[in-house]
Structures are given as structure tokens and as C-alpha cells.
Amino acid sequence: MQFSHALRALPVVCSFAPALVIRDARPAASLDTAVQAAARYRVATDGEWFYQEVTGKRLARLARGAVVAGGDIKGEWIGVTLEGWIFGTSVGVTPRAGFDLAVTRAPEENLRAAPGGTIIAKLADGFLLTKLGENGAWVHVERRGWVRRVALEPVVVANSRTAESDTSRAGSPPARRSGGADTAGPAAGQTLRWTLQFIAVQQADELRPEMPKGAIYFLARGPLPERGFIYVIVPEGKRALVEGLAPLATVQVTARVRAGRSRFLGNPVLDLLSLEPQS
């Protein structure tokens, strides 16, 4: 089954591993395996299967563009962790050891990148999950499994002089969840210069306690090439500029950090100072 063009355009929001610096006396082959096991991969094939075990039972179908965390390498297979959000009424408690929930909607239910966000996978009725948290009617979950190596492509982390220069000026990108807990994001009050992918203009509500209720902000991904969500509060004088942006436009912003991570989803919240659309 093919996913929509919209799903292909919007890669999944997941955590990213920091660049590895390896100083080890192990053979080169062992080091390659270690690097691969810590990597992030993007699904290159629409509707690719997520397996319980190597050549085992097929459990779920993945959307093209979904990003998964790499695990063990076994021949032509890579162990991965699939993470996302599912509607709370579509799962129930399970007695199966090692899992918290099971999908209860037949024949399948959507797994999304964020509450109400982009679909990243289709989970079959009975699919077992580990619970990570909740946000209103949505449940944050994950599941480990296996995917064919030919269906995955490594997520490339920028390592150019330009990227290094931007990082030195702007500070480190937001730290992301690793091993089940969010770490601190950029420091409050810090001024950053980041390149982001604009998603949409939104209005703050009670689920965004770091922002004044009713404030206009835009949702973005970044800092590129990372794909985490960023919330950028827009001052009234720059509202027209932001509202004129096309979805998925690349912009460079200068902004001040209001909160290193939001209360519910752990995403950085910034106050916009300036914005420059990128061609």
C-alpha cells in the first residue's frame, strides 16, 4: 500500500544521536559495527515491513522518510527502534511480559510522529508496545524490531566548515531523548542562529505553557539537518513575514531561547528576533 505524497514530504520526528568520536584499539570491522549500531536511518521504501525478528513475523508497515534508531547488525538486517505517538483509545493494557500496551483497533492503527502529526507507520491489531509517556489523549510509545538494510539509508549529519562555524556561533543543537529520558536543551536566554524547515503557523493554548496563551508561533524542524520539532514565537511585527512562508520552506532565524525544552514534548521554545527565507 502506498502512503500519500504528504507523508513522503514530511520525515518523522525522532531523536538524533550525537556525532561519535571513537578511540579504540578494536579491529576496523568491529568499529564499523559500533558506528552502525549507534546510527540513525531513514526508511527509503514506502510501506517497508517492520519485523519481529530477522526473517520472522511481519508486524508493521513503515512510511517512506521515517527515521529509526539503529541497533544490532545481523547480515542484511538492522535492529531498529520505532518511536511515535498513538491515540489512547486504540491501545489497551497487555499481560505480555516486556510490554505495556497492545493495539486494539482492527485491522490496524496509525503511529504518528507527534500527537495528531504525520503518520510514520501502520500498526496491526495486537501490535505490542512499550509506553514512554502521555500527552492528553495521545500515548508516546516505542517498539524494537528489525528492518532490511536495503530499505534504509543513513541519516547524514553535517560535518562541514560551515556547519561547524554555525554551531560555534549559535551554540549546540537541542539535546534529544536517549534511553527513555529527555536531556536539557539549549540554555534559556541564549541567542541562536539556526536553519529551520518551516511547517505551519499556530496559536498557543494550554498545552504550550511556556508561551503566552493565544501567542502566535510557528512549528519548524531543525536545526537542519536534524529533524526535531522547534517552536518559534513570532512578534506582531514579523507575523506577516511568517504567514507568507510556504510549508516546508527553509529559513534562517536568529532567536533567543525561552525554554530549552517544552513541558510536554521536550522541544525547544524560541523567541524570534529575525528571519531570512533561504532559496
Side-chain angles (χ1 to χ4, degrees), residues 240-256:
L241 174 61
V242 170
E243 291 179 339
L245 294 171
L248 305 183
T250 300
V251 298
Q252 189 171 74
V253 304
T254 301
R256 183 173 295 107

Side-chain angles (χ1 to χ4, degrees), residues 148-164:
R148 298 180 306 142
R149 292 180 68 174
V150 295
L152 301 175
E153 56 186 19
V155 173
V156 179
V157 177
N159 190 27
S160 65
R161 291 183 180 180
T162 300
E164 292 170 359

Side-chain angles (χ1 to χ4, degrees), residues 154-240:
V155 173
V156 179
V157 177
N159 190 27
S160 65
R161 291 183 180 180
T162 300
E164 292 170 359
S165 177
D166 287 346
T167 301
S168 66
R169 290 198 308 266
S172 301
R176 307 297 298 163
R177 195 187 66 80
S178 175
D182 280 335
T183 55
Q190 183 179 7
T191 299
L192 307 171
R193 187 172 176 81
W194 278 350
T195 301
L196 307 175
Q197 183 183 54
F198 171 82
I199 303 298
V201 175
Q202 300 183 359
Q203 189 171 28
D205 55 22
E206 61 274 5
L207 293 178
R208 306 286 180 264
E210 297 79 15
M211 309 181 196
K213 187 173 182 179
I216 299 299
Y217 70 98
F218 70 84
L219 179 65
R221 286 195 174 99
L224 298 180
E226 297 198 34
R227 309 300 292 178
F229 280 124
I230 309 288
Y231 303 134
V232 184
I233 301 174
V234 180
E236 186 62 32
K238 300 187 184 302
R239 182 170 173 177

Side-chain angles (χ1 to χ4, degrees), residues 3-220:
F3 288 82
S4 68
H5 293 295
L7 297 183
R8 300 181 184 186
L10 294 176
V12 176
V13 174
C14 288
S15 55
F16 282 76
L20 295 177
V21 177
I22 300 177
R23 296 181 177 87
D24 202 313
R26 289 178 292 174
S30 298
L31 294 183
D32 288 344
T33 300
V35 171
Q36 286 179 306
R40 302 283 165 173
Y41 297 92
R42 182 173 290 108
V43 178
T45 306
D46 199 31
E48 180 63 30
W49 285 103
F50 175 91
Y51 290 78
Q52 180 176 3
E53 299 290 346
V54 171
T55 69
K57 183 179 180 181
R58 296 187 298 185
L59 300 178
R61 291 173 299 136
L62 306 177
R64 180 181 178 184
V67 175
V68 293
D72 295 335
I73 309 294
K74 290 186 179 180
E76 297 305 310
W77 297 81
I78 298 180
V80 301
T81 299
L82 177 64
E83 178 187 341
W85 294 81
I86 193 167
F87 204 55
T89 58
S90 297
V91 292
V93 177
T94 178
R96 289 284 297 274
F99 298 95
D100 305 308
L101 303 170
V103 175
T104 56
R105 182 175 178 179
E108 58 188 14
E109 179 58 297
N110 298 325
L111 183 71
R112 298 177 182 270
T118 305
I119 298 172
I120 62 175
K122 299 277 189 178
L123 311 183
D125 182 19
F127 188 91
L128 299 171
L129 295 159
T130 300
K131 182 178 179 181
L132 300 176
E134 297 181 9
N135 183 357
W138 295 87
V139 183
H140 192 193
V141 294
E142 71 174 12
R143 174 71 187 267
R144 292 187 177 92
W146 295 85
V147 176
R148 298 180 306 142
R149 292 180 68 174
V150 295
L152 301 175
E153 56 186 19
V155 173
V156 179
V157 177
N159 190 27
S160 65
R161 291 183 180 180
T162 300
E164 292 170 359
S165 177
D166 287 346
T167 301
S168 66
R169 290 198 308 266
S172 301
R176 307 297 298 163
R177 195 187 66 80
S178 175
D182 280 335
T183 55
Q190 183 179 7
T191 299
L192 307 171
R193 187 172 176 81
W194 278 350
T195 301
L196 307 175
Q197 183 183 54
F198 171 82
I199 303 298
V201 175
Q202 300 183 359
Q203 189 171 28
D205 55 22
E206 61 274 5
L207 293 178
R208 306 286 180 264
E210 297 79 15
M211 309 181 196
K213 187 173 182 179
I216 299 299
Y217 70 98
F218 70 84
L219 179 65

